[in-house]
Amino acid sequence: MTTPAMFPAWPGDAEVAVALTFDVDGEAPWIGEGPQNERRLTLLSQGRYGPVRGLGRILDLLAELDIQATFYVPGHTADHQPEAMTAILAGGHEVAHHGYLHLDTENLDADGQRGELEAGLAALARHGVRPAGYRSPGWELTPETLAMLAGLGFTYDSSLMADDRPYWEISGTEPLLELPGHWSLCDWPYFGWTPYHGGLLADPARVERIWLEEYESARREHRAITYTMHPEAIGRGYLLRMLRRVITGMLDRGRPWFATHAQIAALAAAPAETAASPASARPS
Ligand SMILES: [Zn+2]
């Protein structure tokens, strides 16, 4: 069962809340696939490009434009690329949970899923981070993990897609705020490519149009919108130039509030109040 979340007016008389989010996967997804990948140095290095090279470009752009973002960091990345965590936190950004070894939750039993959650929490805690939010690796969430999140102290999730507005996911005893993304607003289906995981290597001008069209829809509906990116993809030089054009295009078209997921979640009215309110994301 789901219920749209209610919000007051966005801060600063903004028309739309924009969450730029980055999944700093690094080598974790490839190592997590199994030991056959341990000898595949090119594949692993392609993942390592994210925290080692792409991330710095992203952080520089965000600092230049004075934008705070949310970084979903697998515990493995936090443990093996600690300087990436340090740089993200030094920029004043939010760090959220993205598994430990980026294991597909649907292929783990309940104990395995809890292990991923707890190991990820421990790794982030070594950097002083207590994450408020969770995004499932590979964007597949199971009933078992969903049921564990509130009990482990998470206040929001960003894995499900039942609405394009924030909503309350009520699947057990405790409602959880969902901040939905979508594959069309993610860089990976367009630009993420390896010899074994084929993407499109799409024309960035096309993606720029899609992302700005969805922004325009969100602006007119006064809703929150989430973009999902990966430093190993969006962190390529030509794609960072696209991201800059997307952000400046947003600023040219209206008044966005660039916010972290935690900032948006903090504004959501409690679900009991939501249930008593009209079923719209926000009065416009
Ligand atoms: Zn990921």
mmCIF file of all heavy atoms in Angstrom, residues 23-25 29 72 74 98 102 135-139 230, ligand 1:
data_model
loop_
_atom_site.group_PDB
_atom_site.id
_atom_site.type_symbol
_atom_site.label_atom_id
_atom_site.label_comp_id
_atom_site.label_asym_id
_atom_site.label_seq_id
_atom_site.Cartn_x
_atom_site.Cartn_y
_atom_site.Cartn_z
ATOM 1 N N ASP A 23 25.623 7.085 -7.177
ATOM 2 C CA ASP A 23 25.937 5.781 -6.596
ATOM 3 C C ASP A 23 27.424 5.491 -6.856
ATOM 4 O O ASP A 23 27.817 5.249 -8.003
ATOM 5 C CB ASP A 23 25.067 4.690 -7.225
ATOM 6 C CG ASP A 23 23.584 4.901 -6.950
ATOM 7 O OD1 ASP A 23 23.236 5.856 -6.227
ATOM 8 O OD2 ASP A 23 22.774 4.111 -7.470
ATOM 9 N N VAL A 24 28.204 5.517 -5.786
ATOM 10 C CA VAL A 24 29.661 5.396 -5.933
ATOM 11 C C VAL A 24 30.024 3.915 -5.838
ATOM 12 O O VAL A 24 30.631 3.450 -4.877
ATOM 13 C CB VAL A 24 30.392 6.242 -4.868
ATOM 14 C CG1 VAL A 24 31.879 6.360 -5.216
ATOM 15 C CG2 VAL A 24 29.786 7.654 -4.775
ATOM 16 N N ASP A 25 29.659 3.171 -6.884
ATOM 17 C CA ASP A 25 29.761 1.710 -6.838
ATOM 18 C C ASP A 25 31.201 1.209 -6.832
ATOM 19 O O ASP A 25 31.498 0.172 -6.235
ATOM 20 C CB ASP A 25 29.014 1.099 -8.021
ATOM 21 C CG ASP A 25 27.509 1.267 -7.901
ATOM 22 O OD1 ASP A 25 27.024 1.554 -6.777
ATOM 23 O OD2 ASP A 25 26.817 1.122 -8.921
ATOM 24 N N PRO A 29 30.276 -3.884 -7.451
ATOM 25 C CA PRO A 29 29.351 -4.749 -8.202
ATOM 26 C C PRO A 29 30.059 -5.889 -8.914
ATOM 27 O O PRO A 29 29.522 -6.996 -9.032
ATOM 28 C CB PRO A 29 28.715 -3.794 -9.216
ATOM 29 C CG PRO A 29 28.918 -2.428 -8.660
ATOM 30 C CD PRO A 29 30.211 -2.484 -7.898
ATOM 31 N N TYR A 72 25.253 7.623 -2.580
ATOM 32 C CA TYR A 72 24.992 6.273 -2.073
ATOM 33 C C TYR A 72 26.282 5.466 -2.245
ATOM 34 O O TYR A 72 26.726 5.232 -3.385
ATOM 35 C CB TYR A 72 23.835 5.642 -2.854
ATOM 36 C CG TYR A 72 22.494 6.264 -2.499
ATOM 37 C CD1 TYR A 72 22.014 7.386 -3.150
ATOM 38 C CD2 TYR A 72 21.726 5.704 -1.487
ATOM 39 C CE1 TYR A 72 20.797 7.953 -2.808
ATOM 40 C CE2 TYR A 72 20.496 6.263 -1.131
ATOM 41 C CZ TYR A 72 20.044 7.384 -1.804
ATOM 42 O OH TYR A 72 18.834 7.940 -1.456
ATOM 43 N N PRO A 74 28.482 2.062 -1.425
ATOM 44 C CA PRO A 74 28.625 0.703 -0.878
ATOM 45 C C PRO A 74 29.741 0.664 0.176
ATOM 46 O O PRO A 74 30.745 1.372 0.054
ATOM 47 C CB PRO A 74 29.010 -0.145 -2.100
ATOM 48 C CG PRO A 74 28.579 0.645 -3.291
ATOM 49 C CD PRO A 74 28.713 2.089 -2.880
ATOM 50 N N HIS A 98 24.231 1.858 0.367
ATOM 51 C CA HIS A 98 24.027 1.197 -0.934
ATOM 52 C C HIS A 98 24.597 -0.219 -0.886
ATOM 53 O O HIS A 98 25.286 -0.658 -1.802
ATOM 54 C CB HIS A 98 24.719 2.041 -2.021
ATOM 55 C CG HIS A 98 24.310 1.694 -3.429
ATOM 56 N ND1 HIS A 98 23.016 1.474 -3.815
ATOM 57 C CD2 HIS A 98 25.051 1.547 -4.573
ATOM 58 C CE1 HIS A 98 22.971 1.198 -5.111
ATOM 59 N NE2 HIS A 98 24.195 1.225 -5.588
ATOM 60 N N HIS A 102 27.455 -4.561 -2.814
ATOM 61 C CA HIS A 102 26.540 -4.300 -3.933
ATOM 62 C C HIS A 102 25.893 -5.603 -4.399
ATOM 63 O O HIS A 102 25.655 -5.809 -5.600
ATOM 64 C CB HIS A 102 27.309 -3.629 -5.090
ATOM 65 C CG HIS A 102 26.447 -2.829 -6.021
ATOM 66 N ND1 HIS A 102 25.760 -3.389 -7.065
ATOM 67 C CD2 HIS A 102 26.148 -1.502 -6.067
ATOM 68 C CE1 HIS A 102 25.102 -2.440 -7.723
ATOM 69 N NE2 HIS A 102 25.308 -1.287 -7.135
ATOM 70 N N ARG A 135 19.450 2.835 -0.711
ATOM 71 C CA ARG A 135 19.069 2.502 -2.093
ATOM 72 C C ARG A 135 19.605 1.118 -2.388
ATOM 73 O O ARG A 135 20.799 0.843 -2.202
ATOM 74 C CB ARG A 135 19.637 3.523 -3.075
ATOM 75 C CG ARG A 135 19.397 3.142 -4.535
ATOM 76 C CD ARG A 135 19.922 4.201 -5.495
ATOM 77 N NE ARG A 135 19.064 5.372 -5.515
ATOM 78 C CZ ARG A 135 19.485 6.591 -5.878
ATOM 79 N NH1 ARG A 135 20.727 6.777 -6.224
ATOM 80 N NH2 ARG A 135 18.641 7.604 -5.892
ATOM 81 N N SER A 136 18.736 0.233 -2.860
ATOM 82 C CA SER A 136 19.157 -1.147 -3.071
ATOM 83 C C SER A 136 20.112 -1.234 -4.261
ATOM 84 O O SER A 136 19.914 -0.571 -5.273
ATOM 85 C CB SER A 136 17.945 -2.037 -3.315
ATOM 86 O OG SER A 136 17.170 -1.516 -4.368
ATOM 87 N N PRO A 137 21.156 -2.058 -4.139
ATOM 88 C CA PRO A 137 22.072 -2.280 -5.251
ATOM 89 C C PRO A 137 21.329 -2.835 -6.461
ATOM 90 O O PRO A 137 20.486 -3.735 -6.327
ATOM 91 C CB PRO A 137 23.068 -3.305 -4.694
ATOM 92 C CG PRO A 137 22.999 -3.137 -3.205
ATOM 93 C CD PRO A 137 21.568 -2.774 -2.924
ATOM 94 N N GLY A 138 21.631 -2.302 -7.607
ATOM 95 C CA GLY A 138 20.977 -2.786 -8.818
ATOM 96 C C GLY A 138 19.508 -2.432 -8.899
ATOM 97 O O GLY A 138 18.813 -2.874 -9.807
ATOM 98 N N TRP A 139 19.047 -1.635 -7.939
ATOM 99 C CA TRP A 139 17.651 -1.185 -7.922
ATOM 100 C C TRP A 139 16.669 -2.345 -7.936
ATOM 101 O O TRP A 139 15.732 -2.395 -8.730
ATOM 102 C CB TRP A 139 17.358 -0.229 -9.077
ATOM 103 C CG TRP A 139 17.217 1.191 -8.616
ATOM 104 C CD1 TRP A 139 17.112 1.640 -7.341
ATOM 105 C CD2 TRP A 139 17.159 2.360 -9.451
ATOM 106 N NE1 TRP A 139 16.995 3.017 -7.330
ATOM 107 C CE2 TRP A 139 17.024 3.468 -8.604
ATOM 108 C CE3 TRP A 139 17.207 2.540 -10.837
ATOM 109 C CZ2 TRP A 139 16.935 4.767 -9.101
ATOM 110 C CZ3 TRP A 139 17.127 3.828 -11.317
ATOM 111 C CH2 TRP A 139 16.993 4.940 -10.459
ATOM 112 N N HIS A 230 26.232 7.657 -11.772
ATOM 113 C CA HIS A 230 27.353 6.843 -11.319
ATOM 114 C C HIS A 230 28.654 7.518 -11.742
ATOM 115 O O HIS A 230 28.811 7.814 -12.942
ATOM 116 C CB HIS A 230 27.272 5.440 -11.933
ATOM 117 C CG HIS A 230 26.019 4.695 -11.558
ATOM 118 N ND1 HIS A 230 24.784 5.002 -12.100
ATOM 119 C CD2 HIS A 230 25.814 3.693 -10.672
ATOM 120 C CE1 HIS A 230 23.872 4.206 -11.563
ATOM 121 N NE2 HIS A 230 24.461 3.403 -10.704
HETATM 122 ZN ZN ZN B 1 24.866 0.696 -7.520
#
